[in-house]
Amino acid sequence: MTATPTPGAWQLARRADRLNPSTIREILKITERPGIISLAGGLPSADTFPVAAMREATARVLRDQPREALQYAASEGYAPLREWVAGELATQGLACDASQVLITTGSQQGLDLVGKVLIDPGSTVAVESPTYLGALQAFAPYEPEFFAVEGDDDGPLPQSLDAACAGRDKPRFVYLLPNFQNPTGRCVSAERRLALVDRAAALGLPIVEDNPYGDLWFDTPPPPPLSARAGVGVGVCDGGVDGGVGGAVYLGSFSKVLAPGLRLGYLVAPKAIYPKLLQAKQAADLHTPGFNQRVVYEVIKNGFLTQHVPTIRARYKLQRDAMSAALTQHMQRLVAGGCRWQVPVGGMFFWLTLPPHIDAAALLPRAVEAGMAYVPGSAFFPHGGHANTLRLSFVTASPQQIDTAVAALAQALASA
Ligand code: PMP
């Protein structure tokens, strides 16, 4: 008699405990119901995707370089695209060499690679509070302790970096989003940038700067990147990263200026850690799809973005204005009760602080019933809490829909 095979007893790795479903993706499932105006997603508007330019570039790549485009390729990325990135960053004041550019499968992969190379279990990582949820998710499996950097409307507080470094275990790095941050929309002032970089340098605290939204400014471009002052050139890494002094890793993306489905981002790293990031990249997926890299290079090589990005800015600015007007109209009377927001000067998001007794997660079903959805803010905080906050995206709904959705939110709030 043969024994009935038993299913394998899978034992999950410890790090799997730290992998959790994204609150946002869970909410997006609810909001796919017809009739709901969702201000929850972090998606760019599909109306901004340059379909015609992509179609033509794709045809050209398949006509002129099909064998190279469809073959395995270098882990560092497509050389002309790396050159393009270095040239583009130079115009923003960030001097780097193309040899320091690593093309990644979205900047999300850049966050994972940084985590893999720099975080040990139990080591500290300093993050803004709130910060990009996807970064918390990318870093968490490497089992860091998060230090929550305090901030105000102007940006993270430099003295909070001192507090981060006061403990026994200096953070491996501080993760900062100076431009139109996800989730708050906040843009860090020029003075604060200088103060932060100088404080970090004095403390020997490396900076990981994430900048997917910097091109989406509405009136004036943001101040130069933190990495421009911190430098991405050399960096020190004596044996382990503990000896690293200053310096920055810079992360960028084509998701918000072209299309996220391309999964195309990049990082720029000091020479001291670039080889390790490259090896991690190789181990993860060998290389970012070469076909996508060549198509994107075909699209952008002759200055396409200098015409295309202003059309995105103009569109998002109108939507930002619509949301600002809708908030003023429908929510102003809640300000006395503690409701507050700032009007973002770029990016894709408004951040709302509700009266202290209101729990945005508990309110969400009522808001959905009223016809709209948002993301409760708690998930963006490294240690949770702050239940009375929420994020609204203004880029995927029309001005009319934005007004309707904000009115619905106000109605849900009034009933709470
Ligand atoms: N960083 C931030 C702050 C983001 O908001 C996002 C996308 N929502 C990413 C990184 C990842 O972008 P991608 O992988 O598409 O480049």
Side-chain angles (χ1 to χ4, degrees):
M1 222 173 76
T2 50
T4 324
T6 50
W10 299 103
Q11 165 135 25
L12 289 177
R14 205 172 61 178
R15 82 182 66 82
D17 264 0
R18 304 267 194 126
L19 294 167
N20 287 306
S22 155
T23 323
I24 297 178
R25 290 193 179 275
E26 295 302 300
I27 290 169
L28 287 178
K29 284 187 207 153
I30 316 174
T31 61
E32 276 157 16
R33 279 195 236 150
I36 307 283
I37 302 170
S38 176
L39 307 180
L43 322 173
S45 165
D47 295 333
T48 67
F49 301 160
V51 179
M54 291 291 304
R55 190 178 286 129
E56 285 160 26
T58 304
R60 275 203 304 280
V61 167
L62 285 176
R63 186 191 63 203
D64 300 339
Q65 22 175 330
R67 296 166 66 89
E68 301 87 338
L70 297 173
Q71 187 52 281
Y72 282 121
S75 299
E76 291 88 340
Y78 180 49
L81 187 61
R82 296 169 74 206
E83 293 283 352
W84 184 93
V85 168
E88 170 63 24
L89 293 178
T91 68
Q92 298 173 29
L94 175 50
C96 68
D97 193 82
S99 65
Q100 295 172 261
V101 177
L102 177 61
I103 305 292
T104 55
T105 306
S107 57
Q108 187 68 28
Q109 183 181 48
L111 294 168
D112 177 59
L113 299 179
V114 161
K116 194 177 264 180
V117 165
L118 296 176
I119 301 173
D120 277 319
S123 63
T124 303
V125 170
V127 295
E128 293 176 46
S129 178
T131 189
Y132 170 49
L133 171 59
L136 295 176
Q137 287 181 306
F139 299 151
Y142 302 110
E143 304 179 39
E145 302 292 335
F146 289 118
F147 179 93
V149 175
E150 289 172 32
D152 60 19
D153 290 344
D154 222 16
L157 294 168
Q159 59 268 35
S160 192
L161 301 186
D162 289 277
C165 294
R168 222 165 18 97
D169 181 27
K170 188 170 81 180
R172 296 296 170 91
F173 58 87
V174 58
Y175 169 66
L176 297 171
L177 304 106
N179 293 331
F180 323 125
Q181 193 223 37
N182 181 0
T184 61
R186 176 178 70 184
C187 187
V188 179
S189 71
E191 302 73 46
R192 184 63 62 82
R193 287 178 198 232
L194 295 187
L196 278 168
V197 173
D198 291 352
R199 208 56 226 133
L203 292 162
L205 176 62
I207 292 172
V208 173
E209 177 175 23
D210 189 9
N211 184 25
Y213 300 103
D215 287 319
L216 305 181
W217 47 268
F218 300 145
D219 298 310
T220 49
L226 303 171
S227 304
R229 188 169 177 88
V232 289
V234 187
V236 179
C237 180
D238 58 7
V241 278
D242 275 353
V245 186
V249 170
Y250 177 92
L251 301 166
S253 175
F254 290 102
S255 289
K256 309 301 188 301
V257 293
L258 283 178
L262 294 161
R263 308 308 305 124
L264 218 52
Y266 48 90
L267 64 78
V268 182
K271 295 183 173 115
I273 58 167
Y274 186 94
K276 284 293 164 200
L277 290 164
L278 176 62
Q279 288 154 25
K281 165 76 184 165
Q282 225 159 53
D285 63 355
L286 302 182
H287 63 81
T288 297
F291 183 71
N292 297 14
Q293 295 186 65
R294 284 170 191 261
V295 168
V296 163
Y297 180 68
E298 272 303 300
V299 170
I300 64 179
K301 68 180 183 188
N302 293 324
F304 174 80
L305 289 177
T306 57
Q307 286 121 49
H308 179 61
V309 176
T311 66
I312 307 178
R313 286 183 200 129
R315 178 186 190 92
Y316 287 2
K317 185 179 177 180
L318 284 178
Q319 289 164 295
R320 186 275 315 258
D321 289 346
M323 186 167 279
S324 178
L327 286 166
T328 305
Q329 186 184 342
H330 303 295
M331 308 276 277
Q332 197 61 40
R333 66 202 157 78
L334 298 165
V335 167
C339 196
R340 73 184 274 272
W341 63 90
Q342 280 212 318
V343 180
V345 294
M348 309 192 337
F349 306 112
F350 270 76
W351 178 251
L352 261 66
T353 304
L354 304 176
H357 64 282
I358 297 196
D359 179 330
L363 183 73
L364 184 60
R366 279 199 220 195
V368 170
E369 220 164 277
M372 68 84 66
Y374 57 79
V375 184
S378 188
F380 297 100
F381 290 87
H383 304 125
H386 305 265
N388 63 325
T389 57
L390 61 87
R391 189 192 74 180
L392 300 175
S393 158
F394 51 84
V395 303
T396 48
S398 69
Q400 179 56 48
Q401 288 174 316
I402 288 171
D403 185 70
T404 307
V406 172
L409 173 60
Q411 183 196 325
L413 269 169
S415 74

